[in-house]
Amino acid sequence: MAEQLISAFESSLDKTNVILKEIESAYGWPKAQRNQSYAALRTVLHLLRDRMPVQESAEFAQQLPVLVRGIYFDGWQPENVPIKLNRDDFLYEVRQGFPYDVEGGPQRVVQVVLDTLRRHVTQGEWEDVKATMPKDLGHMIP
């Protein structure tokens, strides 16, 4: 049993590192900037989570690696969602949560993270997530 837990943890860690590496690769960041890829992932995940209805948020989370799911749910207050955010509000909140100056600004951060996440969930689930967003924000979702 302990071996299965260790294997599950290692698998989740490996999958999480793949996601972070994909974000870093999109920016050309070295692994030494892992804190930036983590901050980008966490910020966008939290805003996406808080914009979705509870049921859809939980369904989306089930497709994330366990470690990323923990990041996703950290600090979640389901009684306070969904929060109404249009595209400009969403980008403003990304800028507040991601304190690094990067090429393309908050919009590029969102695009890179969403492109990465899309590769790690089913197409059907991704379409469900997209369908919960207002049109102006939905246009940012690949």
Side-chain angles (χ1 to χ4, degrees), residues 42-62 64 68-83 85 132-133:
R42 179 181 174 85
T43 299
V44 174
L45 276 175
H46 283 188
L47 288 167
L48 196 62
R49 171 203 73 192
D50 290 346
R51 183 59 191 90
M52 286 191 279
V54 172
Q55 183 65 34
E56 185 55 42
S57 188
E59 290 171 10
F60 172 70
Q62 287 302 309
L64 300 173
V68 176
R69 196 177 316 147
I71 295 165
Y72 182 78
F73 283 125
D74 184 42
W76 191 40
Q77 297 177 329
E79 68 278 5
N80 296 332
V81 299
I83 296 172
L85 293 172
T132 68
M133 299 295 142

Side-chain angles (χ1 to χ4, degrees), residues 101-114:
D101 288 323
V102 294
E103 183 179 329
Q107 186 162 338
R108 175 96 168 107
V109 170
V110 170
Q111 201 62 54
V112 165
V113 172
L114 293 180

